Amino acid sequence: MKATYKDVKSDIMSKITKGDWAPGSLVPNEIELAGIYGCARATVNRAMRELADDGIIERRRKAGTRVRSSPIRQARFDIPLVRREIEDKGAEYRYSLAERTVEPAPDWLRARLKLGVGSKVLHLICMHYADGDPYQHEDRWINLGTLPQAEDADFTQVGPNEWLVATVPFSDAEISFSAGLAGPKLADYLASKDGDPVFTIERSTWWEGQAITYVKLSFRPGHRMTTRY
Amino acid sequence: MKATYKDVKSDIMSKITKGDWAPGSLVPNEIELAGIYGCARATVNRAMRELADDGIIERRRKAGTRVRSSPIRQARFDIPLVRREIEDKGAEYRYSLAERTVEPAPDWLRARLKLGVGSKVLHLICMHYADGDPYQHEDRWINLGTLPQAEDADFTQVGPNEWLVATVPFSDAEISFSAGLAGPKLADYLASKDGDPVFTIERSTWWEGQAITYVKLSFRPGHRMTTRY
DNA sequence: TGGCGCGTTATGTCTAGACTTATAGCCCGC
DNA sequence: GCGGGCTATAAGTCTAGACATAACGCGCCA
């Protein structure tokens, strides 16, 4: 008796994993469960809400709650600052700015960020090192239309990512992972061989509908992103 | 007055993005906020709890709540069944089993899944097609020690992933993303060229501490995993 | 038979209050 | 000055009850 929301959550979870409640089946409503577990409806509600957030069950007003037939498993990845990522591994972080130009946005970038014709962007190429070894190559484009102050920022000491996080704390983003090939230039930056596979993250961010930046991050060969769920 | 938890959440969010509350600074406690917003403490609590889940703020009993200095952004990816993934794109899904053997677990697999010596595993090579084109190559190893019934299952019609989801509904998993190269054999399966970069997902799963399966999924060149956050 | 409207119902949210729990930071003794 | 123990505080959780809201699916009507 007197179950906590965690008790309720894990008990329901085990009923599902043990197969007592089959996929697609309707689970008792909150009032019944509150009676069964001897707790208030709010407690059951919290347990069920978390299970729904985890993609285990599906809830609809009036229709009730059912076990998802094909459970949507989701993995969460932390997207830390490179510096943190490296320092958390116990390695020494070093940053360097390789190139810096101000130019009109190329067509592919305008399409991606939905920029108008003639938009000017700041283009930066940076490297991040862990214990002196190349770790990540950063190909960064910043929209000067929304962030004109970026033109005056000094990116030789602090990376554009950290500068952006401090300047535009939160924003909408689209992130995608893919595998690419190191061309000769990228291979040189990463001290790897031409034709090596590189793990790539691309991210576009907006703030209140305004495009801020697009970045392509290429990791040294062998990099993996791992998480448990 | 009479703010909902969403009102509170978005107002606090905007205070942070606008810089009213600087990173690292202490946020008023729940009772004060409840007074400010004219709502119950539970309402403020829910708003704050969600912000903490999102990695925006950090909460500690007695110490209070503060804005995270370097916000941990996290991205969530849905990990659907391949069939769903393909059908959701509007393409026709086709599956085929290419190889099936029962063998002692190789050393690398024993290390990865923490298996004892002499463990037997079922090794499957499968292909998933979208509109007839190779989409995903599946290199699957199932631990027959925990799932002996897998040896009798018919994997020629339904893929091992779907069979597993139906048999062992939920489990702990470790998932990792990386970039690899297509060797001649894999390139043949994926109808691509030797040396093409392939996006790779590896997943190991356990159930109540028992290793169930390890799988290496290789996608056709050009594949991307995308999400918004 | 088929389409529309609406009452019923399960979830969603809020409240005021009480109790629990972790712990920051003060105070005291060494 | 330093370490250990105590306490006040803020978050964490629960309750009983109320009202809000979405929408399922029955029944009515064409």
Side-chain angles (χ1 to χ4, degrees):
Chain A
M1 268 301 172
K2 278 295 145 77
T4 68
Y5 83 92
K6 283 183 182 172
D7 295 335
V8 175
K9 188 178 174 185
S10 74
D11 189 69
I12 291 179
M13 194 68 184
S14 84
K15 277 200 165 39
I16 295 174
T17 61
K18 289 217 303 276
D20 294 356
W21 291 350
S25 66
L26 201 62
V27 322
N29 71 36
E30 296 191 349
I31 294 173
E32 282 178 65
L33 288 172
I36 292 169
Y37 291 109
C39 63
R41 187 168 77 91
T43 304
V44 172
N45 182 273
R46 170 139 187 217
M48 303 283 269
R49 188 153 37 77
E50 291 199 0
L51 286 168
D53 281 348
D54 295 347
I56 308 299
I57 57 178
E58 227 176 345
R59 322 194 72 196
R60 275 199 347 266
R61 280 166 153 135
K62 157 83 185 169
T65 300
R66 31 186 83 241
V67 180
R68 285 198 101 108
S69 38
S70 71
I72 295 184
R73 303 297 319 243
Q74 18 192 324
R76 271 190 163 195
F77 287 89
D78 287 348
I79 315 285
L81 290 173
V82 218
R83 181 158 63 78
R84 289 258 300 213
E85 192 177 342
I86 289 171
E87 287 173 352
D88 284 354
K89 287 180 209 264
E92 188 216 350
Y93 172 70
R94 191 163 67 77
Y95 162 79
S96 94
L97 176 63
E99 287 177 39
R100 180 189 178 285
T101 54
V102 173
E103 51 190 283
D107 292 342
W108 63 266
L109 185 64
R110 287 202 295 110
R112 207 178 251 274
L113 294 180
K114 299 176 199 75
L115 296 175
V117 205
S119 300
K120 276 205 315 180
V121 289
L122 176 64
H123 182 199
L124 304 165
I125 306 260
C126 321
M127 280 299 302
H128 305 270
Y129 301 87
D131 279 343
D133 297 323
Y135 184 84
Q136 186 190 84
H137 173 271
E138 176 172 356
D139 186 2
R140 166 80 60 175
W141 304 76
I142 299 174
N143 179 13
L144 291 173
T146 24
L147 277 181
Q149 65 267 49
E151 197 162 353
D152 304 318
D154 174 23
F155 291 114
T156 60
Q157 300 306 311
V158 60
N161 203 358
E162 290 185 58
W163 183 85
L164 283 162
V165 166
T167 310
V168 197
F170 295 96
S171 47
D172 293 327
E174 184 180 281
I175 189 164
S176 73
F177 297 168
S178 58
L181 275 192
K185 211 173 160 189
L186 183 58
D188 192 37
Y189 273 121
L190 292 174
S192 67
K193 296 192 304 294
D194 190 3
D196 272 353
V198 287
F199 183 73
T200 303
I201 298 180
E202 285 164 285
R203 182 166 41 183
S204 305
T205 66
W206 290 266
W207 188 63
E208 290 177 353
Q210 298 282 302
I212 298 177
T213 182
Y214 162 79
V215 65
K216 180 170 180 172
L217 303 168
S218 303
F219 288 83
R220 68 183 184 348
H223 182 80
R224 345 173 110 239
M225 274 196 88
T226 302
T227 195
R228 303 185 67 85
Y229 70 108
Chain B
M1 271 301 171
K2 278 294 143 82
T4 69
Y5 84 93
K6 282 183 182 171
D7 295 335
V8 175
K9 188 177 174 185
S10 73
D11 189 70
I12 291 179
M13 194 68 183
S14 83
K15 277 199 165 43
I16 295 174
T17 61
K18 288 217 304 278
D20 293 358
W21 293 351
S25 66
L26 201 62
V27 168
N29 71 39
E30 297 190 349
I31 294 174
E32 281 178 66
L33 289 172
I36 292 168
Y37 292 110
C39 63
R41 187 168 78 90
T43 305
V44 172
N45 182 274
R46 171 140 186 216
M48 303 284 269
R49 189 154 37 75
E50 291 199 358
L51 287 169
D53 281 348
D54 295 346
I56 310 298
I57 59 178
E58 228 176 342
R59 323 194 73 196
R60 287 219 315 286
R61 281 165 150 133
K62 156 84 186 173
T65 300
R66 33 186 81 242
V67 180
R68 285 196 101 106
S69 38
S70 70
I72 295 183
R73 303 296 320 243
Q74 24 191 356
R76 285 178 107 159
F77 287 90
D78 287 348
I79 316 283
L81 290 173
V82 219
R83 180 158 62 80
R84 290 256 301 213
E85 193 177 341
I86 289 171
E87 286 173 352
D88 284 353
K89 286 181 210 263
E92 189 215 349
Y93 172 70
R94 190 163 68 78
Y95 162 79
S96 93
L97 175 63
E99 289 178 37
R100 181 189 178 284
T101 54
V102 174
E103 52 189 283
D107 291 343
W108 62 267
L109 185 64
R110 287 201 295 112
R112 207 178 249 274
L113 294 180
K114 299 177 199 74
L115 296 176
V117 206
S119 299
K120 277 205 315 181
V121 289
L122 176 65
H123 183 201
L124 305 165
I125 305 262
C126 323
M127 279 299 302
H128 304 271
Y129 300 87
D131 278 343
D133 297 323
Y135 185 83
Q136 185 190 82
H137 173 271
E138 175 174 356
D139 186 4
R140 166 80 62 176
W141 304 74
I142 300 174
N143 180 13
L144 291 174
T146 27
L147 277 181
Q149 65 267 48
E151 197 162 353
D152 304 317
D154 174 23
F155 291 114
T156 59
Q157 299 307 312
V158 60
N161 203 358
E162 291 186 57
W163 182 85
L164 283 162
V165 166
T167 310
V168 197
F170 294 96
S171 49
D172 292 325
E174 184 180 280
I175 189 165
S176 74
F177 297 169
S178 58
L181 274 192
K185 210 172 160 189
L186 183 58
D188 192 38
Y189 274 121
L190 292 174
S192 68
K193 295 192 304 298
D194 189 4
D196 270 354
V198 287
F199 183 74
T200 303
I201 298 182
E202 286 165 282
R203 183 166 39 183
S204 306
T205 66
W206 291 267
W207 188 64
E208 291 178 353
Q210 299 281 302
I212 298 177
T213 183
Y214 162 79
V215 65
K216 182 170 180 172
L217 303 169
S218 303
F219 288 82
R220 65 178 186 354
H223 182 78
R224 345 173 109 241
M225 274 196 87
T226 303
T227 195
R228 302 185 69 84
Y229 72 107

